[in-house]
Each structure stands twice: as C-alpha cells, then as structure tokens.
Amino acid sequence: MNLIFDLDDTIYNLMGPFQIAHEAIFADKVDVDCTAVFLRSRIVCDDILTKEKAGLIAPEECFYQRIKLIYQAYGVDVDRETAEEFEKIYRIEQGRIQPYETVMEILDFCREKEIPRAVLTNGREKNQRVKAAALGLERWFDYDRIYVSGAIGYQKPEPGAFLYIQDEMHLDPVETWYIGDTYDFDVEGAHNAGWKTIWFNHRHRPCPTEKNLADIEVRSSAELKKVIENLYNSAI
C-alpha cells in the first residue's frame, strides 16, 4: 500500500489565506459568499497554470491575471495595484498555514505504520516549498518525496506526473492510492495513470462526469482517516 497526497486543500485549508485576503480587499465590492468565489478561483488558477506551462502567460503576470479573472465574473475590474495588495495579504497568510488536525493524525498513522508516502502538487517549486515548510511536512515526508509540477516537468492531470513518481519510488500502481480534493486534476489524472484514487471531496462539489471515476469518495477528514486505516488493515 502506497499513499500519495495532493497538497493544496487536501493537507491544509487553501481557502483560509484566500478568504482573509478577499475580506480585506473585496468583501465590500462583491455580494457573493466567499466559498463560491474561492471555488471559482480554483478553476481560474488551474487554467492560468496550464497557460503558463504552455508559455502563453509570463510567470510575473500569473497572479494578476488570476485575480483579474476571478473577480471579473462578479463585475469587478481589478487593477494591478489592487491585485498586488491582495497578493501581499495572501502570501503573508500562506506563511501561517497549518495542516488539518485530522490530516495530521492520518500522517502520524502513516509514519507509525511506515506506509510509503509522498506529496504530488501542481505549482511553482519555490511557492510550494514555502508552503511545505510552513506546514512542517518534513515531519512526515522526506524532502525528495515532495514532488512539485514546476520541478518535475509534468503537471496534473497529465499521466506523466503520476508515472514520474511511480518510476522514482518504484511503485506498483495496483497498490498505489492518490488522495486529492480536485476531481479533474487529482481523480481523473491518477485514474488515467492506472492508480487507485480517493476523492477527498470535503467541499461537497458535484461530480462533473456521469460516472464517478474515484475508487472511494469521502466528504470529511474523519471519513478519510477511517478509509486509510481500513485500507492498511486490509493490506497487512
């Protein structure tokens, strides 16, 4: 049994830093619940990341374009100065992130049972390493077992991202589970690479496909903990 974890909104609450920045900058300009704005931000961020990888957007333009497109849907025109204010608050709060409490219990369990494990996350190497340090991931993962798309050359949902780790760690795909919150990037990506999947759907998003490709879907970290314990007990 091998467990590979997504990072953003799986190990910690990605919405936390976003919500603080949103409330400071846009709360009086957008009459929409922050959760809806955040979910839109995930779609926009993935699209921007894909375009950056393809060379269609310069790296220094990405955050501005991201904020601009997010709030454009709510009738707000965002200038660069405002986007920079948002980013400043957002980055400060990212330095204060902590893992979900129950996820820490899961990771402690994995360490205790010596379950082979790693992290696979999309993003820039520098940004994701800063998050990993803030979260204290070295407590549960070796440095070279935190794989970032910007460093390995493959981006989820490309099967190559998962196969890269499979080759590096000499994993049997039949015994490898990927755990992530995003259906398109995490579930479909890992499924297409031949891995098993746990969709950590704690934001209760509807499945975008007629057939749910996840081997297991959970809607809370408590459920996730029970599933991982049961998988381990079944494997020994």
Side-chain angles (χ1 to χ4, degrees), residues 50-107:
T50 299
K51 289 179 179 177
E52 180 189 8
K53 186 174 185 293
L56 300 176
I57 299 179
E60 61 272 15
E61 284 287 309
C62 288
F63 199 92
Y64 168 60
Q65 291 297 329
R66 174 183 170 187
I67 300 303
K68 179 181 177 180
L69 290 172
I70 291 168
Y71 289 97
Q72 193 175 70
Y74 305 107
V76 179
D77 291 326
V78 180
D79 57 30
R80 289 184 182 276
E81 183 179 354
T82 303
E84 288 172 0
E85 290 177 15
F86 188 103
E87 183 174 15
K88 181 179 179 180
I89 298 169
Y90 182 71
R91 298 300 181 198
I92 290 172
E93 295 303 321
Q94 277 192 329
R96 298 170 177 165
I97 55 177
Q98 295 293 323
Y100 289 118
E101 183 174 349
T102 305
V103 171
M104 286 196 285
E105 294 173 7
I106 292 169
L107 295 176

Side-chain angles (χ1 to χ4, degrees), residues 10-232:
T10 295
I11 290 179
Y12 77 100
N13 179 17
L14 180 63
M15 182 174 160
F18 182 90
Q19 184 169 7
I20 291 171
H22 167 82
E23 290 177 352
I25 305 296
F26 292 111
D28 61 342
K29 301 178 180 67
V30 178
D31 188 21
V32 180
D33 183 78
C34 184
T35 300
V37 182
F38 170 72
L39 292 176
R40 172 169 171 74
S41 79
R42 297 299 306 278
I43 297 170
V44 171
C45 184
D46 289 339
D47 183 56
I48 292 290
L49 192 62
T50 299
K51 289 179 179 177
E52 180 189 8
K53 186 174 185 293
L56 300 176
I57 299 179
E60 61 272 15
E61 284 287 309
C62 288
F63 199 92
Y64 168 60
Q65 291 297 329
R66 174 183 170 187
I67 300 303
K68 179 181 177 180
L69 290 172
I70 291 168
Y71 289 97
Q72 193 175 70
Y74 305 107
V76 179
D77 291 326
V78 180
D79 57 30
R80 289 184 182 276
E81 183 179 354
T82 303
E84 288 172 0
E85 290 177 15
F86 188 103
E87 183 174 15
K88 181 179 179 180
I89 298 169
Y90 182 71
R91 298 300 181 198
I92 290 172
E93 295 303 321
Q94 277 192 329
R96 298 170 177 165
I97 55 177
Q98 295 293 323
Y100 289 118
E101 183 174 349
T102 305
V103 171
M104 286 196 285
E105 294 173 7
I106 292 169
L107 295 176
D108 284 340
F109 176 82
C110 292
R111 182 182 59 185
E112 176 188 344
K113 302 302 182 182
E114 299 183 340
I115 298 170
R117 58 200 178 276
V119 171
L120 170 61
T121 176
N122 279 351
R124 298 179 189 171
E125 171 82 351
K126 180 180 178 181
N127 290 349
Q128 298 306 82
R129 289 290 178 184
V130 168
K131 294 177 189 176
L135 292 164
L137 292 191
E138 71 279 358
R139 174 177 167 183
W140 303 286
F141 302 96
D142 292 339
Y143 184 91
D144 62 357
R145 290 294 180 252
I146 299 175
Y147 297 94
V148 182
S149 67
I152 67 175
Y154 299 97
Q155 178 179 305
K156 298 182 297 180
E158 296 172 354
F162 303 91
L163 298 178
Y164 180 95
I165 295 178
Q166 183 174 303
D167 291 342
E168 285 281 309
M169 296 181 64
H170 308 290
L171 303 176
D172 180 349
V174 176
E175 297 179 356
T176 302
W177 292 82
Y178 189 72
I179 302 160
D181 69 293
T182 304
Y183 185 86
D184 296 3
F185 279 60
D186 298 332
V187 174
E188 289 190 325
H191 173 84
N192 291 337
W195 291 11
K196 294 181 178 178
T197 59
I198 300 174
W199 184 16
F200 184 25
N201 188 18
H202 59 97
R203 303 247 177 236
H204 299 179
R205 285 178 271 191
C207 182
T209 58
E210 184 175 349
K211 179 182 178 181
N212 188 341
L213 296 176
D215 292 281
I216 300 173
E217 177 183 347
V218 298
R219 296 203 162 200
S220 70
S221 54
E223 283 185 68
L224 179 61
K225 182 181 179 184
K226 288 181 181 179
V227 164
I228 289 175
E229 290 172 346
N230 290 338
L231 287 174
Y232 174 78

